Amino acid sequence: MDHQPSPFLVHSNGNNSNGTTHELGIFGTPPRNRYRRNSLTPLFARDDSGVYEGSSEKYINDPIHGHVLLDHNVLKYIDTPQFQRLRDLKQLGSAYYVFPGATHNRFEHSIGTSHLAGELVERFKDTQPELEITESDVKCVKLAGLCHDLGHGPFSHIFDNEFIKRAIPGSTWTHEQGSEMMLEYLVDDNHIEIDREELNFIKDLIMGERRGNSQRQAFLFDIVSNKRNSLDVDKYDYLQRDCYNVGIKSSIDCSRLMKMSRVIDDQICWHHKEVYNLYELYHTRFSLFKRVYTHRVGKAIEYMLTDALLAADHVMKISSAIFSGPEYLHLTDDIIRQIERSREPGLETSQAILKRIRIRNLYKFVDELLIPREKLRILTTENINPLEIVSCQGSNDHLQVEDVIVEFLKNNYAMKDQNPVDGIKFFSKTNHSASYHIPKEKVSSLIPSEFQENFIRVFSRDATKVKAVHEAFRRLMSRFYRTSDGSSNLPPSSTSPYYDSSNTSPERVASSSQWHQSRDASPTRRLGNKRRNPGRGSSPTRRSESSVLRSLGDGVMDISDDDL
């Protein structure tokens, strides 16, 4: 039986095979022969792990991209302690505690990103020879995709976005800077020979910006980390991989998007037929943030992990590891196991928090409020914070500042409040040499007019104080939702456990004299130059002992202790 050459296989020595047929690329240019293996060349020997091995390359079977080729340049970096460390970093951090399928790690994501980076740059080299892409360009782009996440810490973004900012106030350290440090350490520790210019180029590709005197073409910096419009192979991989592992169905086809792109005027552009698919991709990203990455239970666990790491930092010296490659090498998600196993004095608080996670005694979500655009300048961390919420508590609530967590949450289409597609250029099927923008009005009337939503979220560290924190938060927020007649138009809290859809009246019961006294003690009593007037109906009264279910106004119900 005749054997057909596989489009995935390559000569390990890089020679062209005779008699192979060519498939036309999207713009009529045949792919290079290096993508073909002679039909008489035996397949690599396969071991029990499912890895096909040759003398200088391997295939791995990836659930997202199928059989992925790892060439000798990539393997030199993968087979190091610095890269193997990524096996011990969950891709989605605390989301694993909510989505049991989210067991994938930074290791496979990095390999997938490298694979896509190589596919894209090789395709540009094949279909657009005028770009004069060199073998060095291809090598560095693939290595940048491979090494772009070397600097992630325990539980991924929790480490740099939450822990480091609190452990080292004023720090501007990012995981991209950590990736640069670990890349240098990887090269030095494993005696990998690489030109200094190439190493600096890889660092720039990871950061997504040209630094120094690099003469490399600008579009190369958009492949792994695209600062123009956030459309890059990193996103291609994690969107597909995360949807697959958490069980969310997705219609995005990144392989098609890659095939429908080309370089025009030193910028990656896309075929005009893909404009709506790009909006779908950005919406998928937004949806993942909304449903998975910022899941309220996942965020509660995220704050618990942050508190546990902070409580252990003075003993374990966790934060200082960001300045040392050898120390950072051993800093992975396993840090919580180290804390739990340790008998060192001073870890009792951290161990107690971690035990609460194990027995599912979690910090509790209290409430959230969508911030209207017109109130973004008023509802800020200066006015809405744990201290202000605690100042609005009832006389017998006994709230402390450390009981309350306030989060200002932003979910968007990847470019803050801007439309990311405005930063993308397209080409037509009749003219591949000219690029242009496509306004959203020409795409669909259902594309959103705003591309970022802003929320205030409140959590309680003490499960027994959720109701008190909720009432105090609603009292505070009612100050900023005042009508001309003094009444409150604070919107209902449909996401709170105390919301009752049968009661959506904006009227609030009169405040008690006790709360007026505590309110007067607030450290921020003025808004602008005017004295805040609580007005009528600005606060709920304290529940009488005989009541079981009492309205707090705004669709909020107070549940008696017997019902909790």
Side-chain angles (χ1 to χ4, degrees):
M1 182 173 64
D2 293 336
H3 295 279
Q4 295 298 321
S6 169
F8 298 105
L9 301 181
V10 188
H11 276 298
S12 59
N13 61 9
N15 294 331
N16 294 338
S17 46
N18 296 323
T20 55
T21 58
H22 299 292
E23 296 176 358
L24 291 180
I26 186 174
F27 303 114
T29 304
R32 299 190 311 168
N33 290 343
R34 69 191 302 271
Y35 285 94
R36 298 290 182 180
R37 179 183 292 278
N38 190 294
S39 60
L40 300 179
T41 303
L43 192 63
F44 298 141
R46 179 184 178 185
D47 62 22
D48 292 338
S49 67
V51 176
Y52 295 91
E53 299 191 9
S55 59
S56 60
E57 59 187 23
K58 292 181 181 179
Y59 280 97
I60 63 169
N61 191 6
D62 180 73
I64 306 302
H65 307 301
H67 287 86
V68 172
L69 173 67
L70 308 177
D71 62 36
H72 69 282
N73 284 322
V74 169
L75 285 174
K76 286 190 299 184
Y77 288 75
I78 292 177
D79 296 336
T80 64
Q82 290 77 14
F83 189 83
Q84 293 293 319
R85 167 182 175 269
L86 300 182
R87 291 183 183 270
D88 300 317
L89 297 175
K90 286 285 186 294
Q91 173 77 12
L92 297 187
S94 62
Y96 170 61
Y97 289 90
V98 181
F99 297 89
T103 57
H104 55 306
N105 302 309
R106 292 279 164 184
F107 179 84
E108 51 264 38
H109 162 64
S110 297
I111 291 178
T113 302
S114 177
H115 166 70
L116 293 180
E119 290 277 299
L120 189 57
V121 72
E122 287 276 14
R123 193 184 156 280
F124 290 151
K125 185 176 184 179
D126 293 339
T127 60
Q128 295 184 258
E130 70 277 7
L131 296 176
E132 299 181 347
I133 297 173
T134 66
E135 289 298 330
S136 176
D137 291 334
V138 174
K139 168 188 171 183
C140 291
V141 167
K142 292 172 71 174
L143 289 176
L146 187 75
C147 300
H148 78 287
D149 274 352
L150 284 178
H152 269 293
F155 301 97
S156 295
H157 291 289
I158 293 176
F159 188 77
D160 50 341
N161 290 346
E162 299 291 341
F163 170 72
I164 289 297
K165 288 183 178 179
R166 293 173 60 186
I168 310 177
S171 173
T172 58
W173 183 88
T174 64
H175 75 271
E176 287 89 357
Q177 293 173 332
S179 294
E180 291 192 33
M181 176 187 72
M182 292 302 288
L183 178 58
E184 288 274 5
Y185 177 43
L186 183 154
V187 170
D188 293 341
D189 189 49
N190 297 279
H191 310 291
I192 294 177
E193 294 184 4
I194 184 172
D195 183 79
R196 170 52 62 176
E197 189 274 334
E198 287 187 334
L199 186 59
N200 290 336
F201 178 43
I202 294 171
K203 291 181 180 179
D204 290 351
L205 290 171
I206 291 174
M207 297 297 291
E209 56 187 11
R210 188 186 313 187
R211 299 175 294 185
N213 298 319
S214 175
Q215 301 300 313
R216 308 275 183 156
Q217 300 178 83
F219 77 89
L220 295 171
F221 297 88
D222 297 338
I223 293 176
V224 174
S225 180
N226 192 336
K227 296 296 178 64
R228 299 181 200 254
N229 46 53
S230 191
L231 190 59
D232 47 47
V233 294
D234 177 28
K235 190 170 279 78
Y236 288 159
D237 184 85
Y238 81 69
L239 289 180
Q240 295 177 99
R241 196 173 300 276
D242 293 352
C243 285
Y244 174 85
N245 283 278
V246 302
I248 292 178
K249 303 298 182 183
S250 172
S251 62
I252 60 173
D253 186 354
C254 293
S255 63
R256 174 182 170 89
L257 289 174
M258 290 174 61
K259 293 176 181 177
M260 292 290 186
S261 62
R262 67 183 281 108
V263 177
I264 303 174
D265 297 330
D266 213 8
Q267 180 176 345
I268 301 175
C269 305
W270 280 263
H271 195 285
H272 70 93
K273 291 171 63 176
E274 300 307 304
V275 59
Y276 187 75
N277 291 334
L278 292 177
Y279 276 108
E280 282 289 287
L281 182 144
Y282 287 114
H283 183 77
T284 297
R285 178 193 180 275
F286 169 79
S287 182
L288 279 170
F289 269 88
K290 186 86 169 175
R291 301 162 63 184
V292 179
Y293 306 154
T294 62
H295 189 284
R296 62 182 64 167
V297 178
K299 293 294 289 186
I301 296 174
E302 180 175 314
Y303 288 120
M304 296 184 77
L305 291 170
T306 302
D307 287 349
L309 294 176
L310 287 168
D313 193 32
H314 70 290
V315 177
M316 309 290 287
K317 309 300 181 184
I318 301 169
S319 59
S320 62
I322 66 173
F323 305 110
S324 170
E327 291 184 23
Y328 201 64
L329 174 65
H330 301 289
L331 189 58
T332 66
D333 292 354
D334 187 60
I335 185 65
I336 65 170
R337 290 291 191 184
Q338 296 179 36
I339 295 171
E340 290 174 318
R341 289 192 300 262
S342 177
R343 297 182 181 274
E344 290 286 331
L347 293 176
E348 294 80 10
T349 300
S350 180
Q351 290 169 342
I353 295 172
L354 294 177
K355 184 176 181 180
R356 286 184 60 180
I357 296 177
R358 300 297 186 195
I359 63 176
R360 213 66 178 181
N361 179 19
L362 307 177
Y363 293 172
K364 297 299 182 182
F365 169 79
V366 175
D367 203 352
E368 71 179 6
L369 186 69
L370 180 64
I371 306 176
R373 177 182 288 272
E374 64 272 14
K375 292 186 180 293
L376 286 175
R377 294 185 178 182
I378 300 175
L379 301 179
T380 64
T381 55
E382 294 182 359
N383 297 322
I384 313 298
N385 54 61
L387 183 61
E388 281 293 296
I389 291 176
V390 169
S391 72
C392 295
Q393 66 179 300
S395 58
N396 297 316
D397 287 341
H398 308 295
L399 291 179
Q400 303 295 323
V401 172
E402 56 268 21
D403 294 328
V404 182
I405 299 172
V406 177
E407 175 187 31
F408 281 77
L409 180 66
K410 296 180 180 180
N411 286 337
N412 53 52
Y413 268 37
M415 296 295 288
K416 298 183 178 180
D417 59 349
Q418 302 300 309
N419 179 0
V421 181
D422 287 343
I424 295 176
K425 288 188 176 181
F426 299 87
F427 59 89
S428 69
K429 63 182 179 181
T430 58
N431 188 351
H432 296 163
S433 60
S435 62
Y436 55 92
H437 292 284
I438 300 180
K440 68 183 183 70
E441 293 79 12
K442 301 291 186 180
V443 181
S444 172
S445 60
L446 299 182
I447 291 174
S449 57
E450 296 189 13
F451 296 89
Q452 177 170 281
E453 61 180 16
N454 298 269
F455 278 92
I456 298 174
R457 271 185 175 177
V458 180
F459 297 84
S460 173
R461 288 186 170 92
D462 189 338
T464 66
K465 297 181 178 181
V466 173
K467 182 170 59 176
V469 173
H470 176 262
E471 291 184 22
F473 173 65
R474 299 296 290 185
R475 290 169 185 148
L476 174 63
M477 295 307 301
S478 66
R479 299 177 183 175
F480 304 96
Y481 285 83
R482 224 23 103 192
T483 61
S484 57
D485 62 357
S487 62
S488 170
N489 62 352
L490 183 64
S493 176
S494 59
T495 58
S496 169
Y498 301 107
Y499 173 73
D500 181 8
S501 61
S502 64
N503 181 8
T504 57
S505 169
E507 295 298 326
R508 303 181 69 87
V509 294
S511 60
S512 65
S513 59
Q514 290 91 343
W515 180 72
H516 278 302
Q517 295 173 2
S518 65
R519 181 174 179 272
D520 289 338
S522 170
T524 55
R525 293 296 306 118
R526 295 182 181 274
L527 180 61
N529 296 321
K530 296 182 179 181
R531 182 81 174 178
R532 293 192 186 102
N533 181 8
R536 65 178 179 86
S538 62
S539 166
T541 57
R542 296 296 299 162
R543 173 180 53 84
S544 64
E545 294 182 358
S546 60
S547 66
V548 176
L549 190 64
R550 178 184 57 79
S551 171
L552 295 177
D554 297 340
V556 180
M557 305 303 292
D558 185 14
I559 304 174
S560 69
D561 294 336
D562 294 337
D563 294 337
L564 294 178

